[in-house]
Structures are given as C-alpha cells and as structure tokens.
Amino acid sequence: MLRLAFLLLLSFFVQNSFAQNLKVNGLQESVEVIRDQWGISHIYAQNEHDLFLAQGYVAASDRPFQLEMWRRQATGTVAELLGSSEVNRDIGTRLFRYRGDMEREYAHYHPRGKAIITAFVAGINARVAEMRADSTNLPFEFKLLKTLPDYWTPEVVVSRHQGLVGNVVDELNYGRQVQLIGEAKTRELNWFHPTRKRDTEPKLKLEKGVEGQDLFQDILALYTAHRSPVKFSASDKRTGNLEEEGTFDFQDWYAEARQYVGSNNWAIDGRLAQNGFPMLANDPHRIQAAPSLRYWIHLNAPGWNVIGAGEPSLPGVSIGHNDHGAWGLTVFATDNEDLYVYETNPNNPNQYRYQGKWVTMNILTDSVAVNGTSPQSVELKFTRHGPVVFEDKANHKAYAVRTGWLEVGSSPYLASLRMNQAKNWDEFREACSYSRLPGENMVWADRAGHIGWQGVGLAPIRPNWSGLVPVPGDGRFEWSGFLPIKELPHSSDPAEGFIATANNNLTSPDFPQRNAIGWEWSSPYRAQRIEEVLGSGKRFNLFDFVQLQTDYLSIPARTLVPMLARLDLADAAEKKFVEQLSNWDFQLTPEHVAASVYAEWESQLSEAIHQIMVPEAARPHLRRLSTKLLLDYLITPPAEFGTMPVQKRDEILRVSFQKAITALTQRLGKDPSRWQYGQAANKHVTIEHPLSPLASTEMRKKINFGPVPRGGSGETVNSTGNSLLQRYGASFRILVDTENWDKTLGINSPGQSGDPDDPHYGDLFQRWTKNEYFPVYFNKEKIKTVADRTLTLSPAK
C-alpha cells in the first residue's frame, strides 16, 4: 500500500515537473501548449486570436535572437546594432520596404489577415516584454552583443527581405555577358529553357539606351547589401556585416545559393501506395544553420487544425497537413524583377526621361541609426518603376529596380494561411491563387484520393522583351499586368499516378505569355531520379519514401563513368581506380571510396570545361556551368575543343581524372583505403552559430555542430551541394501518409530551439546526419504520450 502511494505521488510530481502556468498579456482565454520530446509545440486554443498570439509567444520563446535579427533586417536597423559597415544594408532595406495599402495587404493573406497578424505580433511582443523586464536569463547572443530584443510591428511580418528573389542579379550578369561575349554565346552557356525553336529563344539584345560598358559599375550595391547574409566578425564585436573586411564575395555566394537552394516534393495517389491512400513528401533545400530556418508547429483551435513547418517569423504553416490534406513546395521559376536604365537630366539629376518628358523622382529623406557614431541622413529615390539603386552622374544615367514583390500580397509564404484551412483540391488551388512570393510548385494530396500540382508566383507579363537583361526605363518596356496564378502550369490526378517536382522545368515551350515565367531552372537529375523510382511499378510505403528522400544515386555518374572506362589508361594505379568505379553502384554514400574518386573527378571536369567554354573576361559574371551543359559538352564535343574535338574530350577526361587522384592523395593521404567519401577532410557538414567567431572556446563547443561525414551531391535527391562542406540541403523534411495523420514522419536539424541552453537546441542533429526521422503525432492523446513539457498560458489581466 505504501509502495502504491509512493508511486502515485512520484507520478504526480513527474507529470507536474514539466507543467507550467504562465500569465501572458493579450490572451482572452487559457491556452494549452504541449511540447513533445522532439521540441514541437502543439498549441490548443479556444479561439483564433489566442491561437496566433500563442504561436507568436512560443516562437519568440524558442527563437529569440533569430527573431530579433529578422526584425532588424526587416526594419533597416542592423547598423544600429553592428555599426557603419551595415549602413548600405539598411539603406537597401528601406528602399525595398513595402509602402502600399496595409489594409489590402492584410486581407490578401486571409479574410481575417489583419487580426491574425496583429495577434501573432502581440504574442511575440508579450515575450519580448518579459525578456526586457528580466534580462538575467537572456540567451547568450544578447549578452555577447550587449543588447535587448525589441518590439515587433505587423510591418515586420509582411517584410519581403528574406524572400527567394534575385533575378535582377542574374539580369545584370547576363547584360555584362552579352557585352563581353555576345548574345549567342551568352544564350549557349546559360541553358535558357524550355524552347524548341530558335525564334522562341529569349531575346538578349541590349536596347538603345542601355550602354553595355556602363553595366560593369557596382550598380546593385544597395540591393545586394540588403539581400546578403549577416555575418559577425571576430575582430569587432559590434561590427557584423560580411565576414572579415573585404572577404565576402557576393557573386560567389549568390552563384552557390542559386545553384543549391531548391527542394524536392512528390505525391502519389492510392494506386501506387501499399495501403491505397495518397502519400506526400517534401524537403526544402536551404542554408544549413543554427538555428534552422524552419520551425515545426501544431495549431489547433475552432476552424484550425494544422501541423507542419514554416519560418518562425510568420503565423501559420507553410508546409504540412490539416485534417483533410497535405501540401509541400519547391521553387518554381518566376521572374518578377527588372533593371531599368534611365537617361537623367544634365541640369537636374533627380529627373529622368520617360515618354519624351522629364519626370521628377519621388524623394524621401530618412535617417539610419549607426552604432558608435551619429545617425546618417539618406535620400531614398524612386522612379515610376521602383527604387533607384545607382546614379551614374558622369554619364547622366540612373538605375532602378522594378519588383513584383513590392505589390500587395507578396510577403513570402504568408498566403499559406489560406492553404491551412483547405478541405480539398479545389479549395487548395483557390488558396494557391493568393500565393505571390516566392514562385513555388505547390503539391497536394488528400484523404479523398486526389493529388495535384499548381505553379504559383507573381508573373509579370512582358509583351516585348524576355526580362533577362536590363532595359531602358523610357516607357518602351512596360509590364502588362500579371498572369493569373491559376493560369500557371498545373495538373491533378495524372494518369501515371504521381507528381514530382525538383525545381526542374515542367513548362511546355508553347506556354502562352512565355516571358512571364522564368527561363532558368535547375538541372533535371534530381527530378529524373524521383520519377525513375516512382515510375518503377512498385507500391510504396513511408519507409520507401524515407529511402528516396535520402537517396544518394548520381545520375550524371551513370553517364560519366562509362566514358572514363572506355579510355586506354597507361598507369596501373589509375586503371585500378577506373575498375573500382566500373564496379560502383553510383551511390555517393559516405563510406564509399569510389564516391570520393568520382566526386573529385567531376569537380575537376567542371573546372576544366568552365575554363575552356567560358571566355576569361566573362568568368567573374558566370561562375558556374550547369551539370547538364557539362554532360552535353562531353557527350558531343563542341568546336571550342579544337580541330580534333573527340581526342580533346578524351584528354580532358584523362587529365581531369589524374588531377582528381593527385588532389585526393594530397588531401586524404597515400593510402586509398582511407579515401572514404564522408569524412572531416572530405565531404562533411559543419554548422556554426552566427556568433561563433565572437564566442569563447567553451561556448563554441556548445553552439556549433560537426564536422560529421556526409554523402550525396548537388545532383542527388538527398542534395548536399558539390562542395566538400555541405552548406545547403534539406534540414527540414516531412513525409505524410493520408491514411493516418499520426504516421507522419519529420526532421528539423539541428533542433527546434535557438537557445543553446534548451535541450532542443541540437537534439536532432545526430538523427539528421544519419538520415533518420521522428514521428509527428497529430492526435492529442498520442501527443501526450511523448510530451516533455506542458504550458498553460492564461490571460494576464
């Protein structure tokens, strides 16, 4: 009897050791928050207002420093914290701030968008107020920088500063390439598609009024400053900007991000599933960071029951499922930026010529607070098209960027609020029609048996130009509205029983309004591998999806390795390596030596082909060639290979292979048995906290992760990039079986929390490195069985 009493008492204390009651300003009724053992907060509210207020409060509790830096980037107040090196960032942010009708803006995202967003902000601010009132328990970042979190406004939520945009950077680079190597060569080296006839290829002519030699100025300095990542310097704790002074190369960073930021998603209908129900998979590929960009959340209140992930700065869920269906996203190429070039009045540089008349720019005066010095007064100038980013007064020119994303309703992912309540494919597709940024392939699967795909994004209609090079701003090149989102490519319940997207082109060359969508897409190999597996004729379960989502097979290797095997190599050691590759299964797994040899060889090949095909003057403006072009040039040697192109091709294959063996010997040693692909000196991942350069040795051990061996490449389904250090890839993954929502699997590396003192800061990293998942329960009773903390949030007054 005493033993029973003791056990009951112990059970009571255990259950209540993780139960807390907190008073939160702004709540109308009590809210229950159950955090599971993987760090997901499951929020149960009695009304919509409290649901989103609690979401904001919980997010600010888990990710306080991440949200504070988001706020500063959104408001153009980074220099206030980090000093004069960030002034250009803040000017750029203020130039590209949304300044339109806020009532229309709120209503675009949801019929009650204003109420939802303001409640979410109130929740963040309730937590901020607590941290400011008692700074003793602030996370280390605030103490290290000697600062406090500050209050949000709804304008921060609708900021566009972190959206997946940037075509204007490519546009300027293409213009520079055209000036240096001509239209035809620029077109050849960039693989613009889809097109099947010469007269449908994109036009790249630099029109009268755009002087090619002038494009080599730093025209986009303000734009790129506000788009660049904030990185902290060890040399000065109050100066952040871009690594050590002068070391950050935006073009190189942008080229890598452009190549590897992407996603995979797919859905199968019941005919391909072992249990007869549709299934869905999604894994966005973004920067590997601590904390992660994504944040799992479960929202339950009258009218709402949705679980999945989004960015902690946004209300709702951008990828996940509700009671009826599941959805995921990948990047769909839209082009909603253009660079305009103006002739300015020699007698008044604040006037530009438009339709034969001088038009005065709109000028706003602003003040940028700068840490360590007095505020800097700045002028923000705007043409009819958008923000002026550069003035060439010597040549009487000005440059402005027109962006579709400054239109109403273009805050990234925020229209997901409408998707969160969709009950079927038609409702989901209607919700998608409000999703303007970023361009995405939205894929759907529901319990009723349907699957579907809808391309989304703001797509400006360009009646007389491609949008790929700068154009005069004199009135000859104007957008003719936007293509209705429902007219973008879409399909539902396809005959083959599956839908798969991986940032590849899925658009017909005959698509009307061709210049309204992008000409630049990812290479096709991830998508082809997914299609190959899903079209194999077998029936699938979620473990099959696990294997596919973490698949390391390289389709390019299946072409390149046989090319090498047919060569007559004289060196015995080289022949042995070729034999090893010939018996290899093309899987870039961490333990394979053959994977190391192949990956280094492909890297050497890419460099060799780039050197031959891209004229030297153009290389700073064309940093990488696509893998698709690499294979094309090696399969059919081009004229640039000289008078004996086949022999030259074979020489490139042979010499690149020799260089690969030399590089591996220098990097990994003389013993090839130790050349495993995944290792700290070769393919690996290391995740460093943004403030790692400022932290002590002991703190770095606590906040950083790795190195840990990795596999894969930028062309495998499990995308890890082509560099030895994995910087991009899927930190968040979700797999959904619509038969039972409690069968959902997920991951989010390195963890849900951004606070190194929280057990959920890095608890998922090792699981992620092993390509493992955890169950994501939807039923409250099951969630309770894996709870590690329960909060009751009550109204403060």
Side-chain angles (χ1 to χ4, degrees):
M1 190 69 181
L2 286 174
R3 177 178 172 82
L4 178 59
F6 173 78
L7 290 175
L8 289 173
L9 186 62
L10 179 63
S11 176
F12 172 81
F13 280 117
V14 169
Q15 291 179 35
N16 286 276
S17 65
F18 54 78
Q20 295 178 266
N21 294 290
L22 301 176
K23 300 290 186 181
V24 178
N25 281 323
L27 285 178
Q28 297 170 356
E29 300 177 85
S30 63
V31 176
E32 183 181 23
V33 181
I34 304 173
R35 188 178 71 175
D36 66 31
Q37 63 183 259
W38 302 285
I40 300 177
S41 290
H42 304 259
I43 301 175
Y44 297 89
Q46 300 176 63
N47 60 73
E48 182 176 271
H49 170 271
D50 287 353
L51 179 67
F52 289 102
L53 189 148
Q55 184 183 7
Y57 182 87
V58 169
S61 300
D62 277 340
R63 305 281 186 93
F65 183 70
Q66 186 180 32
L67 290 186
E68 172 61 9
M69 291 308 299
W70 186 285
R71 182 194 67 81
R72 286 192 176 276
Q73 289 177 266
T75 56
T77 54
V78 179
E80 181 182 46
L81 176 68
L82 300 179
S84 58
S85 64
E86 296 289 357
V87 169
N88 271 1
R89 178 193 301 279
D90 289 351
I91 294 172
T93 297
R94 294 168 193 226
L95 277 170
F96 288 93
R97 176 181 293 166
Y98 174 73
R99 300 177 186 275
D101 185 331
M102 286 300 294
E103 296 300 319
R104 289 180 59 212
E105 175 81 356
Y106 294 138
H108 182 91
Y109 305 116
H110 192 274
R112 297 181 299 282
K114 183 176 183 179
I116 290 171
I117 292 169
T118 53
F120 181 77
V121 168
I124 292 177
N125 287 341
R127 181 61 187 135
V128 168
E130 293 174 359
M131 290 187 284
R132 291 177 68 88
D134 180 9
S135 61
T136 57
N137 292 319
L138 279 175
F140 87 101
E141 299 100 331
F142 295 99
K143 295 176 181 178
L144 198 59
L145 295 175
K146 298 181 175 63
T147 189
L148 292 172
D150 215 336
Y151 296 104
W152 280 46
T153 65
E155 286 77 9
V156 176
V157 175
V158 303
S159 169
R160 282 80 158 141
H161 74 281
Q162 292 278 38
L164 288 179
V165 296
N167 169 267
V168 71
V169 176
D170 297 319
E171 197 169 304
L172 182 56
N173 279 331
Y174 297 146
R176 291 166 172 169
Q177 291 171 41
V178 169
Q179 174 66 15
L180 291 167
I181 60 178
E183 289 182 63
K185 190 66 173 177
T186 299
R187 193 178 290 113
E188 175 197 337
L189 293 175
N190 287 282
W191 188 42
F192 300 122
H193 66 291
T195 180
R196 61 167 62 100
K197 296 183 295 184
R198 185 165 296 278
D199 61 358
T200 63
E201 292 179 340
K203 305 299 186 290
L204 302 177
K205 179 183 177 181
L206 297 181
E207 299 286 348
K208 182 179 179 180
V210 178
E211 303 298 331
Q213 67 271 16
D214 293 343
L215 298 180
F216 296 90
Q217 302 173 89
D218 198 3
I219 292 167
L220 293 176
L222 294 175
Y223 176 94
T224 58
H226 107 278
R227 299 290 304 160
S228 299
V230 176
K231 296 198 174 185
F232 296 85
S233 166
S235 62
D236 185 347
K237 292 186 179 182
R238 304 297 296 202
T239 302
N241 200 14
L242 307 168
E243 300 179 342
E244 300 295 339
E245 190 70 25
T247 64
F248 182 76
D249 184 331
F250 176 86
Q251 289 285 354
D252 198 53
W253 169 82
Y254 176 77
E256 183 179 33
R258 182 176 177 270
Q259 186 172 7
Y260 299 131
V261 168
S263 309
N264 305 312
N265 66 12
W266 65 85
I268 63 171
D269 65 24
R271 292 173 294 169
L272 298 187
Q274 290 179 7
N275 61 12
F277 283 83
M279 294 161 54
L280 178 141
N282 191 199
D283 55 298
H285 306 158
R286 300 292 294 273
I287 189 73
Q288 297 295 320
S292 169
L293 173 67
R294 305 291 180 186
Y295 180 68
W296 280 92
I297 199 76
H298 181 187
L299 305 172
N300 184 288
W304 298 86
N305 194 18
V306 58
I307 192 169
E311 295 171 2
S313 56
L314 300 175
V317 168
S318 59
I319 303 165
H321 72 80
N322 58 23
D323 288 306
H324 308 280
W327 60 92
L329 52 82
T330 69
V331 172
F332 174 87
T334 57
D335 176 1
N336 52 41
E337 295 180 333
D338 278 316
L339 182 61
Y340 283 93
V341 186
Y342 306 88
E343 175 190 356
T344 55
N345 187 344
N347 299 315
N348 182 357
N350 292 327
Q351 290 184 328
Y352 61 98
R353 189 180 297 279
Y354 185 78
Q355 293 184 346
K357 299 178 181 179
W358 293 118
V359 179
T360 301
M361 298 176 187
N362 183 26
I363 302 176
L364 302 177
T365 301
D366 207 345
S367 179
V368 177
V370 184
N371 191 333
T373 187
S374 56
Q376 183 170 325
S377 180
V378 297
E379 284 189 336
L380 308 177
K381 300 182 180 182
F382 303 85
T383 70
R384 64 183 290 112
H385 297 115
V388 175
V389 292
F390 186 76
E391 294 180 84
D392 180 2
K393 293 184 179 179
N395 292 307
H396 308 299
K397 297 284 187 181
Y399 298 78
V401 177
R402 182 166 189 186
T403 66
W405 46 269
L406 288 180
E407 299 287 328
V408 168
S410 297
S411 179
Y413 306 112
L414 199 47
S416 298
L417 286 167
R418 293 180 180 266
M419 302 177 196
N420 292 177
Q421 295 182 297
K423 297 181 178 65
N424 52 54
W425 166 242
D426 289 337
E427 289 187 11
F428 182 75
R429 192 162 176 248
E430 176 64 22
C432 285
S433 71
Y434 290 85
S435 187
R436 310 190 89 178
L437 191 78
E440 300 283 7
N441 294 290
M442 301 304 305
V443 168
W444 167 268
D446 62 37
R447 293 203 77 225
H450 301 290
I451 60 174
W453 160 58
Q454 174 68 59
V456 305
L458 204 62
I461 298 171
R462 298 175 179 86
N464 60 329
W465 85 105
S466 66
L468 288 175
V469 293
V471 291
D474 56 13
R476 289 179 289 153
F477 299 90
E478 298 292 341
W479 294 356
S480 297
F482 301 98
L483 195 65
I485 287 176
K486 285 188 177 181
E487 293 184 18
L488 290 173
H490 60 275
S491 67
S492 61
D493 297 331
E496 57 268 30
F498 69 86
I499 294 167
T501 82
N503 321 118
N504 56 309
N505 172 58
L506 294 169
T507 306
S508 165
D510 303 318
F511 183 77
Q513 301 295 351
R514 183 62 193 84
N515 289 329
I517 61 174
W519 289 96
E520 309 132 296
W521 309 82
S522 293
S523 52
Y525 307 114
R526 283 184 289 117
Q528 288 175 0
R529 174 58 175 164
I530 296 167
E531 292 168 353
E532 182 179 273
V533 173
L534 297 182
S536 64
K538 67 175 289 185
R539 288 177 175 266
F540 299 92
N541 59 36
L542 276 192
F543 188 71
D544 296 314
F545 275 26
V546 167
Q547 292 177 292
L548 179 53
Q549 206 171 53
T550 59
D551 183 78
Y552 284 139
L553 186 135
S554 169
I555 284 185
R558 295 198 304 207
T559 295
L560 292 175
V561 169
M563 286 187 181
L564 183 65
R566 54 175 285 279
L567 298 181
D568 184 18
L569 300 176
D571 185 84
E574 291 175 8
K575 286 183 177 180
K576 186 174 181 180
F577 285 121
V578 172
E579 182 181 355
Q580 195 172 12
L581 284 176
S582 299
N583 294 321
W584 175 51
D585 60 2
F586 309 114
Q587 295 276 351
L588 292 167
T589 52
E591 64 273 10
H592 268 141
V593 170
S596 280
V597 175
Y598 170 78
E600 183 61 36
W601 178 51
E602 185 189 291
S603 178
Q604 296 288 345
L605 280 173
S606 296
E607 178 63 23
I609 297 300
H610 187 269
Q611 293 290 313
I612 293 171
M613 298 303 301
V614 182
E616 184 175 0
R619 290 172 196 163
H621 316 294
L622 179 54
R623 302 292 178 101
R624 289 172 169 81
L625 294 176
S626 75
T627 307
K628 188 266 185 189
L629 289 180
L630 171 68
L631 296 190
D632 284 351
Y633 293 141
L634 291 173
I635 293 169
T636 307
E640 286 83 353
F641 282 17
T643 57
M644 302 180 71
V646 174
Q647 290 87 335
K648 180 63 176 178
R649 185 267 316 279
D650 291 350
E651 178 188 340
I652 292 169
L653 292 169
R654 183 182 298 107
V655 171
S656 295
F657 191 67
Q658 292 166 347
K659 287 183 176 181
I661 300 305
T662 299
L664 288 169
T665 302
Q666 292 172 347
R667 188 164 66 243
L668 303 179
K670 295 182 179 181
D671 182 357
S673 68
R674 296 179 176 273
W675 289 5
Q676 286 77 24
Y677 184 45
Q679 55 177 296
N682 207 53
K683 186 71 174 187
H684 68 284
V685 64
T686 299
I687 301 177
E688 292 191 354
H689 188 283
L691 290 188
S692 181
L694 283 63
S696 66
T697 301
E698 286 304 309
M699 180 58 76
R700 289 179 188 175
K701 293 177 182 177
K702 188 175 182 179
I703 62 178
N704 297 337
F705 302 92
V708 174
R710 296 294 284 157
S713 74
E715 304 295 355
T716 56
V717 176
N718 189 351
S719 177
T720 59
N722 287 348
S723 60
L724 295 180
L725 171 63
Q726 180 185 352
R727 296 185 182 90
Y728 296 88
S731 58
F732 162 83
R733 295 185 174 114
I734 186 171
L735 302 173
V736 183
D737 185 339
T738 65
E739 180 190 31
N740 184 341
W741 303 121
D742 290 318
K743 293 169 68 175
T744 298
L745 298 174
I747 193 66
N748 191 30
S749 172
Q752 278 284 98
S753 176
D755 182 356
D757 289 327
D758 190 296
H760 295 297
Y761 174 72
D763 58 324
L764 300 177
F765 177 70
Q766 288 298 329
R767 185 185 296 266
W768 172 80
T769 64
K770 298 173 184 177
N771 294 327
E772 296 176 351
Y773 298 69
F774 60 82
V776 184
Y777 295 140
F778 197 52
N779 178 279
K780 188 173 183 180
E781 294 308 310
K782 289 190 176 182
I783 292 165
K784 287 180 178 179
T785 67
V786 293
D788 80 350
R789 183 188 68 183
T790 299
L791 298 177
T792 299
L793 309 181
S794 302
K797 297 179 181 178

